[in-house]
Amino acid sequence: MYDVTDRRTNHETATDLLTPPFATKVAILLRDDLAAWQRMNVTAFLASGIAAANPELVSEPYRDGDDGTYLPLLGMPVLVFEGGARELANARNRAVSRGLRPAIYTQEMFSTGYDAANRAATAGVPAEELDLVGLAVHGPKNGVDKILKGAHLHP
């Protein structure tokens, strides 16, 4: 599996990972037939998976001019793509073959109401049979581009 810390030299810090030009990319791929509320929901869930698995990509807390504090965010752009069911399946296969662990969201997860039920919805389904509606991945820019081959930027 790709570990972003492997790319650091002795003088690099986590802050360097969040300063352009970025050596890595975060991308989310959504199935093109989702309703607007589903696209937003799936995007939020998948982005949280990337943040949870890659804490080095999370910035420092935000402050306003009155010294109010706010939660930190992912510290790099997140590109959102769309494609059909075939593009999602291909992207999952490519990510896994490149040693990247994607975040996934399946059609069945829309009918659950909580995290354990979401995980149960995927647990008994072979990888090739997952009804994917969303996938997120973080890795080297060129690798992520190859994983998303056939998808296009979300309008």
Side-chain angles (χ1 to χ4, degrees), residues 4-152:
V4 73
T5 58
D6 292 344
R7 295 182 54 87
R8 292 184 197 166
T9 62
N10 290 336
H11 67 279
E12 287 181 309
T13 66
T15 303
D16 294 328
L17 295 172
L18 305 180
T19 304
F22 301 107
T24 62
K25 180 184 275 189
V26 175
I28 295 174
L29 174 57
L30 302 172
R31 201 168 69 195
D32 56 9
D33 63 350
L34 298 179
W37 74 267
Q38 291 173 316
R39 290 172 189 245
M40 290 185 280
N41 187 267
V42 171
T43 300
F45 271 99
L46 293 173
S48 74
I50 294 294
N54 300 281
E56 70 278 6
L57 299 181
V58 177
S59 70
E60 297 295 321
Y62 284 75
R63 292 190 174 278
D64 63 28
D66 298 321
D67 209 28
T69 59
Y70 305 90
L71 295 174
L73 305 173
L74 281 171
M76 62 190 319
V78 177
L79 299 171
V80 181
F81 294 81
E82 70 174 3
R86 169 67 38 210
E87 284 82 22
L88 277 154
N90 288 342
R92 191 207 67 80
N93 292 338
R94 289 180 190 127
V96 171
S97 73
R98 291 179 169 277
L100 297 178
R101 187 173 58 160
I104 62 167
Y105 201 99
T106 66
Q107 181 68 42
E108 295 78 14
M109 292 166 69
F110 288 125
S111 63
T112 66
Y114 58 104
D115 183 58
N118 284 346
R119 286 182 280 115
T122 63
V125 181
E128 295 296 324
E129 295 177 25
L130 290 168
D131 188 4
L132 296 172
V133 298
L135 173 141
V137 67
H138 168 252
K141 283 183 183 183
N142 63 347
V144 171
D145 290 341
K146 290 175 182 173
I147 288 166
L148 297 175
K149 183 179 177 182
H152 56 277

